[in-house]
């Protein structure tokens, strides 16, 4: 079985809503092939670039047995916000189960991550790998890529 601890974000970071089913499959699988070549493991999670999801993207991921994931809070770190500005965005909005979007290679994310994580923990939240938050049974994916537990 593929490992749910690892995830893919596409091969070339395209706007996947503009791609065909076959092109979406190629993006997912090409990325996964590279990850497997380096780590020896295939992924099970997929988060589409730009948070774009539509029925084609979701079908492609599902047909290849990937769990799609989506964030619920955006730090806007890619706009150059400082760590304090990112925290101000999160502080009053954060709740149990949130998935927070950050990026590598942005101006302040790396040097702010320790502070952000400490603040999240001080509010009483536990920081866990995304794989701990995936519904593996009895769920559906809506058109935004969000997993929704069936009642």
């Amino acid at each position: 079985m593929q490992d749910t601890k690892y995830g893919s974000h596409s091969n070339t970071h395209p706007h996947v809503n503009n791609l065909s089913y076959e092109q979406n499959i190629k993006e997912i699988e090409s990325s996964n092939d590279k990850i497997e070549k380096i780590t020896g493991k295939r992924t099970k999670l997929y988060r589409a670039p730009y948070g774009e999801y539509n029925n084609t993207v979701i079908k492609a991921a599902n047909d290849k047995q990937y769990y799609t994931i989506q964030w619920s809070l955006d730090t806007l770190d890619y706009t150059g916000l400082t760590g304090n500005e990112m925290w101000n965005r999160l502080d009053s909005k954060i709740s149990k189960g949130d998935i927070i979007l950050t990026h590598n290679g942005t101006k302040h994310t790396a040097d702010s991550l320790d502070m952000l994580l400490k603040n999240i923990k001080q509010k009483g939240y536990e920081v866990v790998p995304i794989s701990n938050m995936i519904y593996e049974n009895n769920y559906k994916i809506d058109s935004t890529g969000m997993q929704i537990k069936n009642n």
Side-chain angles (χ1 to χ4, degrees):
M1 180 177 192
Q2 296 173 331
D3 199 321
T4 58
K5 293 180 183 150
Y6 303 95
S8 171
H9 186 52
S10 79
N11 188 45
T12 64
H13 208 270
H15 286 280
V16 293
N17 283 354
N18 298 332
L19 301 182
S20 69
Y21 172 85
E22 293 77 15
Q23 290 169 315
N24 270 285
I25 294 286
K26 184 176 179 184
E27 279 293 323
I28 295 168
E29 290 294 294
S30 296
S31 173
N32 205 352
D33 291 345
K34 289 177 181 180
I35 292 168
E36 182 179 30
K37 185 175 181 180
I38 294 167
T39 68
K41 298 190 183 276
R42 292 201 60 85
T43 68
K44 187 74 169 175
L45 308 176
Y46 178 65
R47 208 273 287 160
Y50 309 103
E52 292 181 349
Y53 288 95
N54 62 23
N55 290 337
T56 302
V57 175
I58 292 167
K59 181 170 176 32
N62 286 345
D63 285 354
K64 287 298 189 173
Q65 299 179 337
Y66 289 87
Y67 295 102
T68 58
I69 55 175
Q70 180 64 293
W71 71 83
S72 54
L73 292 177
D74 187 351
T75 61
L76 294 181
D77 60 348
Y78 53 90
T79 66
L81 293 183
T82 66
N84 285 332
E85 290 169 326
M86 287 184 249
W87 179 246
N88 288 338
R89 286 187 50 73
L90 300 176
D91 188 18
S92 66
K93 298 175 186 170
I94 194 167
S95 62
K96 182 179 178 183
D98 276 327
I99 298 172
I100 301 169
L101 176 65
T102 61
H103 298 81
N104 59 323
T106 57
K107 188 172 183 180
H108 298 292
T109 303
D111 60 11
S112 301
L113 200 52
D114 186 58
M115 177 270 293
L116 292 171
L117 290 171
K118 284 179 181 174
N119 286 349
I120 290 167
K121 290 176 183 178
Q122 282 179 348
K123 288 184 83 71
Y125 298 110
E126 180 182 3
V127 177
V128 300
I130 191 69
S131 57
N132 290 12
M133 299 175 68
I134 297 298
Y135 298 133
E136 294 193 37
N137 298 303
N138 199 26
Y139 73 95
K140 63 183 175 187
I141 304 291
D142 72 8
S143 63
T144 69
M146 296 293 279
Q147 289 192 330
I148 300 168
K149 191 83 165 157
N150 291 332
N151 295 334

